[in-house]
Amino acid sequence: MAALLPAAPAEAEGRQQGWTGTWATAQHASYDPGTSEVTVRIPVRVSVAGTSVRIRLTNEFTDQPVTIGHATVGRRASGSSVSGPRDLTFGGKRDVTIPAGGQAASDGVRIPVAARSDLVVSLYFPGRLTHISQHWMGLQTVYWTPDGGGDHSGDAGGNAFTRTDSTFPFLTGVDVRGGPARGSVVALGDSITDGAASTSDADRRWPDYLAARLSACTTPAGVLNEGISGNRITAGTDGNPSALERLERDVLSQPGARTVILFEGVNDLSWGGATGDQVIGGMKEIARRAHARGLRVIGATVVPYRGWGDYWTEAKEADRQKVNTFVRDGGVFDGYADFDRAIRDPGDPTRYAAAFDSGDHLHPNDSGMKAFADAVDLAGLHVARDCPSARVRLTPYRPGLPAGRATEITATVTNSGSKVVTRVTTGLRLPHGWTAEAEGPTSTDSLAPGGSSTVTWRVTPSADAPWGPYDIGVGTSYRQGSRTRHDTDSVSADVTPVPSAVQPPYRTTATTDDAQYAQNNGQFAIWAGGQDLAGWKDEKAAVYRLDAVPAAGSLTVRLVGQTGSGPSAKAGIAVANDLTAPEKGGYAVLTMSQSYGVEFMTDSDGDGHLDTWAGGGASYHPAWLRLTRDGTDYTAYASADGTTWQRIGASTVPTVGDGSLDAGMVASAVNLDFPGQTTTAVFDSFSTTD
């Protein structure tokens, strides 16, 4: 008989089976995939270790049964590859049929699992897959075989998995036993808990950072992410039940759950139409029900959201403050995490601080996600024991470091424990060839509870470091009681170009006064102003080569990125008989605009002004751009990966003779409506072919 699960109290389930939740997600919708005989492979990052594993599946949001013909679990090798996939059974059987609205748990299988490691769950669906019950915003690449691909759940390699998406199908939980954890923490929340705006495929949601902190405790705790984008406390929708409606399923029935962190309310207050009193009433009901089942409840304050659309008003802000006063002082919760205080702008507490804002003024960036996790008092969770007291954080978030020049990077060590820590030492981890000079001592004798110390370094990338992202790491060691403890952090730093000479055979030309250029081996950068590039103006800057494109040939470049100026700023490739004098004919430009997509422009009458246009669509970076020439016939293409090309347009362009054309990289700020602004464009992979 299949191992179908009724809803069960978390405490009773944990005692009966000895299982602890190590990963979870909240299913909340379904759709018809229109596919048959397929296998899905789902990577998950577990929070705590164990010696045995089981999975939990749900078919809740459907009106038809689903059959899993074969399921496996194994440690992730890389991508969609698995190291030693192990067969899973359900009540001793290889297959399981889950009725509409039902759930199932596999039997346990012995696999040593390390904390903060990746497992891969594979599910094979025989016959027609009529529906998929899903968690929509997975922020994780999930791998599928093509339609008719068959059973590949037992494959170690990943070659059969040629399709991807980013939703979690059917899988709702992974549990372990035999490990050091004695319980788990459930994060009940909305899109912020779900990870919206954090880096995909990087496990940088705030519950992920909390799991990392807890995994360093002598007795750790699992962390289960039960966030759903758009979720509310006071009301639900079809496919997105309210926090009150899903409390039993997503919190109270979680194996080994000991504590819940309630982080909801911003959707209720901003666009949901709820009052502060209604949100408080819902919070009280959640706390009452959780307490009745033996769970500890930590309330989280509601974050600021001014600037997010047009939802903010002074009246709603008053309601938010009322809710936050209740969370802090209402006497209902067993403790609170002051997420509001952790990320708000001290100068305007109705808004996010810029360092933590993803840009939409509601969802945090990765650094903001860390700030939320750091605001949780680990001892107050009453799950983990003997946790590290101090943590280290690097700022700024995603710094820009000009190649060969020094930039300040600061590490802050904070003692969040209840006792003094001593012998605090901090050091940076840099890419090869970089240097760092500390401005002051890198160690301190002691840090009192709540105290912090900072170290600032002047970090200099090597002058020839390729432009692009690099990881900068920091580590701290300290004495906590009789033990030496450690903590680490990292940020992704962008090495940015600095104006420099362009080397032969490349040349430069500009019809704007503020042009600058840089070259770093095969990388190029252009800084340019300019009112317009097409029509009545031809204001641009270019790095080019003489006679680079023959009568029958092509020009290709990758536009890595573009910043600055307004939405019409353009960067891409250009050809002409003479790029210093486009009126000599053959003039064509293919660009990606900052916001309006691909633009293919040509000079149809030889007067040196671009007067034809094709293109449009969404803007994306990096972007591959290609112009092909056959005499006077030009064809433009664009690609997001340099492999699959989209034809943008074709045009006949008058030229002088049939010789070779000048060809190069071009940028224009198109700043007519943004006077004085410049754009910065970075290129690589410039090539021409016959």
Side-chain angles (χ1 to χ4, degrees):
M1 179 176 177
L4 302 182
L5 280 180
E11 189 175 10
E13 169 74 11
R15 281 199 305 264
Q16 180 182 358
Q17 301 287 350
W19 293 105
T20 296
T22 190
W23 178 91
T25 194
Q27 298 281 332
H28 61 98
S30 66
Y31 69 97
D32 182 350
T35 192
S36 300
E37 291 286 334
V38 291
T39 306
V40 64
R41 184 154 275 183
I42 311 163
V44 298
R45 172 65 59 87
V46 302
S47 54
V48 288
T51 58
S52 296
V53 175
R54 75 171 184 180
I55 68 170
R56 288 178 284 124
L57 305 170
T58 187
N59 192 29
E60 181 170 354
F61 291 92
T62 68
D63 58 4
Q64 299 177 59
V66 65
T67 296
I68 289 90
H70 186 199
T72 65
V73 64
R75 291 185 293 270
R76 190 178 194 181
S78 63
S80 56
S81 299
V82 183
S83 175
R86 298 286 302 278
D87 289 341
L88 291 169
T89 57
F90 299 82
K93 294 184 178 181
R94 178 184 172 103
D95 64 332
V96 62
T97 297
I98 309 174
Q103 301 179 38
S106 75
D107 305 321
V109 61
R110 283 193 66 83
I111 298 180
V113 178
R116 308 294 295 145
S117 65
D118 288 347
L119 287 178
V120 176
V121 175
S122 300
L123 307 173
Y124 162 59
F125 304 96
R128 171 76 160 84
L129 182 57
T130 61
H131 60 275
I132 290 176
S133 180
Q134 65 165 342
H135 177 87
W136 169 68
M137 191 168 65
L139 295 176
Q140 170 67 57
T141 299
V142 172
Y143 304 90
W144 290 85
T145 61
D147 188 38
D151 181 9
H152 290 276
S153 54
D155 292 6
N159 291 340
F161 297 87
T162 58
R163 297 189 298 125
T164 62
D165 65 19
S166 58
T167 67
F168 293 124
F170 296 106
L171 184 66
T172 192
V174 178
D175 308 326
V176 294
R177 63 183 174 191
R182 295 296 178 265
S184 59
V185 178
V186 184
L188 180 62
D190 50 37
S191 59
I192 300 176
T193 298
D194 212 1
S198 67
T199 302
S200 297
D201 286 317
D203 300 297
R204 294 179 181 175
R205 313 163 190 87
W206 74 262
D208 296 318
Y209 285 115
L210 178 61
R213 291 187 64 199
L214 287 167
S215 69
C217 302
T218 301
T219 301
V223 177
L224 308 179
N225 188 334
E226 298 290 351
I228 300 178
S229 180
N231 203 235
R232 290 176 285 169
I233 293 174
T234 58
T237 61
D238 184 26
N240 198 338
S242 72
L244 283 162
E245 293 171 313
R246 65 190 184 95
L247 184 66
E248 176 69 39
R249 181 199 72 176
D250 290 344
V251 178
L252 305 182
S253 295
Q254 292 297 324
R258 296 269 302 278
T259 300
V260 56
I261 301 175
L262 174 61
F263 182 29
E264 295 221 29
V266 70
N267 291 327
D268 301 79
L269 297 174
S270 60
W271 54 265
T275 65
D277 287 334
Q278 289 171 323
V279 172
I280 290 170
M283 287 180 165
K284 288 180 177 178
E285 177 65 12
I286 289 172
R288 183 192 66 78
R289 289 171 57 189
H291 282 148
R293 298 284 280 275
L295 271 70
R296 189 172 177 83
V297 185
I298 305 299
T301 50
V302 180
V303 294
Y305 60 90
R306 189 171 188 176
W308 181 52
D310 57 1
Y311 295 116
W312 187 91
T313 67
E314 290 186 359
K316 291 179 180 180
E317 177 65 18
D319 272 336
R320 187 178 76 89
Q321 295 298 340
K322 185 174 187 178
V323 170
N324 285 350
T325 298
F326 164 76
V327 171
R328 296 179 181 113
D329 305 325
V332 169
F333 296 119
D334 301 294
Y336 70 89
D338 206 337
F339 288 179
D340 167 49
R341 185 174 181 270
I343 54 83
R344 70 192 180 200
D345 183 348
D348 182 358
T350 66
R351 298 179 184 271
Y352 264 75
F356 302 131
D357 191 349
S358 69
D360 69 4
H361 313 304
L362 172 67
H363 300 99
N365 56 28
D366 293 352
S367 190
M369 292 290 185
K370 291 180 193 174
F372 287 151
D374 288 347
V376 177
D377 175 19
L378 300 189
L381 298 175
H382 283 206
V383 184
R385 290 182 174 84
D386 189 25
C387 298
S389 293
R391 58 190 183 275
V392 63
R393 292 291 178 254
L394 277 179
T395 55
Y397 170 74
R398 194 145 197 145
L401 283 73
R405 298 185 182 179
T407 300
E408 288 190 349
I409 305 290
T410 298
T412 302
V413 181
T414 303
N415 179 9
S416 58
S418 59
K419 297 182 179 180
V420 172
V421 298
T422 60
R423 303 181 193 174
V424 182
T425 302
T426 307
L428 283 184
R429 184 185 71 252
L430 299 174
H432 179 71
W434 293 29
T435 61
E437 181 179 350
E439 298 180 346
T442 59
S443 62
T444 186
D445 292 337
S446 65
L447 277 180
S452 62
S453 66
T454 62
V455 182
T456 297
W457 286 271
R458 291 180 60 79
V459 176
T460 304
S462 55
D464 59 351
W467 309 327
Y470 295 81
D471 283 337
I472 296 178
V474 65
T476 190
S477 66
Y478 56 93
R479 294 287 290 180
Q480 179 179 331
S482 60
R483 296 181 57 186
T484 298
R485 299 273 197 164
H486 304 272
D487 192 41
T488 61
D489 190 27
S490 64
V491 295
S492 181
D494 287 312
V495 173
T496 57
V498 175
S500 63
V502 171
Q503 302 300 315
Y506 293 96
R507 303 184 176 202
T508 63
T509 184
T511 49
T512 178
D513 293 334
D514 48 8
Q516 292 181 293
Y517 313 92
Q519 181 181 356
N520 186 359
N521 296 315
Q523 296 177 301
F524 299 87
I526 300 175
W527 293 262
Q531 296 184 70
D532 205 351
L533 182 56
W536 67 289
K537 291 282 188 180
D538 179 45
E539 297 187 352
K540 64 182 184 298
V543 175
Y544 72 102
R545 284 168 39 192
L546 294 174
D547 301 328
V549 176
S554 67
L555 164 67
T556 304
V557 78
R558 188 174 76 122
L559 173 62
V560 177
Q562 184 181 4
T563 58
S565 194
S568 296
K570 297 173 175 56
I573 49 180
V575 297
N577 278 70
D578 182 348
L579 273 175
T580 67
E583 65 275 9
K584 294 183 179 180
Y587 187 31
V589 174
L590 174 63
T591 67
M592 180 69 73
S593 74
Q594 184 79 336
S595 301
Y596 300 135
V598 184
E599 299 188 68
F600 175 41
M601 299 164 286
T602 65
D603 173 15
S604 67
D605 56 12
D607 66 354
H609 293 103
L610 302 169
D611 52 27
T612 71
W613 184 93
S619 179
Y620 55 89
H621 299 86
W624 290 83
L625 303 171
R626 175 174 291 167
L627 270 176
T628 65
R629 177 196 181 197
D630 186 2
T632 60
D633 296 328
Y634 295 178
T635 308
Y637 302 88
S639 172
D641 58 11
T643 301
T644 304
W645 293 88
Q646 176 189 6
R647 184 178 181 274
I648 305 302
S651 182
T652 299
V653 184
T655 62
V656 177
D658 58 0
S660 298
L661 300 177
D662 293 353
M665 296 151 280
V666 65
S668 174
V670 190
N671 64 11
L672 181 64
D673 296 324
F674 304 88
Q677 293 193 13
T678 61
T679 191
T680 303
V682 178
F683 306 86
D684 64 20
S685 303
F686 179 88
S687 65
T688 59
T689 60
D690 294 342

